[in-house]
């Protein structure tokens, strides 16, 4: 769907258009794992093609794993995608906010070319080689940020599923490191 506009109050392309798209390259940036009890922070930067915006983009937390996986394949097939990581060690040494900002910066650096403007989910922006605007609730307002949310969550979920093999008994494949009751029981 070209330059999607949501009929149901979900994310649309209006923030990107207001920032100068399609003339300018707009990257949406989001993270996954910032509130988790275990595992890394993963950030993604996505520059969508305005002529190929996938239907169904939304905040990754509102989508089933099956829908996220399907959208992940579509996004990576039709958009520019960069991914960055904030390791557990970075979180412990620099704190989760700084590890997140580093991961976001690395995600932008991982794009094939720098964007002209970045729309960042949240109330803070990392130092980037382009103009950056913070968008509170951005993964529910901007299709570019929603796409980044899907990429970051899918990548992080895969990492945490793999962690189950290394750290059996914690249930990472199920709760992905977040504060579920099963996770608390395993810690205790």
């Amino acid at each position: 769907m070209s330059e999607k506009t949501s009929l149901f109050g979900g994310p649309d392309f209006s923030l990107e258009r207001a920032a100068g798209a399609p003339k300018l390259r707009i990257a949406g940036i989001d993270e996954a794992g910032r509130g988790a009890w275990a595992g890394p922070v993963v950030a993604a930067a996505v520059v969508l093609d305005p002529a190929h915006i996938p239907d169904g983009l939304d905040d990754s937390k509102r989508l089933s794993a099956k829908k996220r996986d399907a959208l992940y394949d579509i996004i990576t097939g039709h958009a520019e995608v960069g991914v960055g990581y904030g390791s557990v060690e970075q979180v412990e040494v620099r704190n989760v906010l700084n590890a997140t900002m580093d991961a976001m910066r690395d995600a932008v650096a991982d794009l094939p070319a720098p964007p002209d403007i970045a729309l960042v989910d949240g109330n803070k922006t990392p130092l980037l080689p382009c103009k950056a605007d913070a968008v509170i609730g951005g993964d529910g307002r901007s299709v570019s940020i929603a796409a980044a949310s899907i990429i970051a969550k899918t990548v992080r979920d895969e990492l945490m599923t793999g962690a189950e093999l290394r750290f059996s008994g914690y249930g990472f494949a199920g709760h992905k490191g977040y504060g579920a009751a099963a996770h608390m029981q395993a810690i205790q």
Side-chain angles (χ1 to χ4, degrees):
M1 176 178 260
S2 178
E3 296 198 22
K4 178 185 174 187
T5 302
S6 174
L7 300 175
F8 303 105
D12 61 32
F13 200 70
S14 60
L15 291 175
E16 290 83 350
R17 226 181 343 272
K23 182 178 177 185
L24 298 178
R25 296 177 68 255
I26 311 300
I29 302 173
D30 201 3
E31 56 73 30
R34 190 167 164 189
W37 292 357
V41 174
V42 176
V46 175
V47 178
L48 292 171
D49 176 352
H52 294 97
I53 297 174
D55 286 329
L57 292 176
D58 204 345
D59 176 350
S60 64
K61 295 179 290 300
R62 294 184 195 158
L63 302 172
S64 68
K66 183 178 178 180
K67 181 69 172 173
R68 281 192 307 270
D69 289 344
L71 284 167
Y72 177 93
D73 291 339
I74 294 167
I75 294 163
T76 56
H78 293 284
E80 295 177 26
V81 175
V83 177
Y85 304 87
S87 69
V88 172
E89 294 77 20
Q90 284 175 290
V91 170
E92 289 175 353
V93 171
R94 293 187 32 81
N95 76 42
V96 71
L97 175 61
N98 288 319
T100 300
M101 294 295 119
D102 292 347
M104 288 179 171
R105 189 171 35 258
D106 292 347
V108 170
D110 192 45
L111 288 169
D116 296 304
I117 298 171
L119 301 175
V120 182
D121 185 51
N123 62 0
K124 296 189 181 310
T125 64
L127 292 174
L128 297 174
C130 63
K131 181 181 186 289
D133 292 326
V135 181
I136 295 172
D139 47 7
R141 297 174 57 200
S142 157
V143 288
S144 297
I145 297 174
S149 171
I150 291 164
I151 297 295
K153 176 129 178 70
T154 303
V155 169
R156 186 178 187 285
D157 283 359
E158 288 176 7
L159 290 171
M160 294 308 295
T161 298
E164 178 71 19
L165 300 174
R166 292 180 51 215
F167 306 102
S168 64
Y170 284 94
F172 291 138
H175 57 66
K176 310 297 190 259
Y178 288 93
H183 192 182
M184 177 57 81
Q185 288 174 337
I187 291 170
Q188 291 173 342

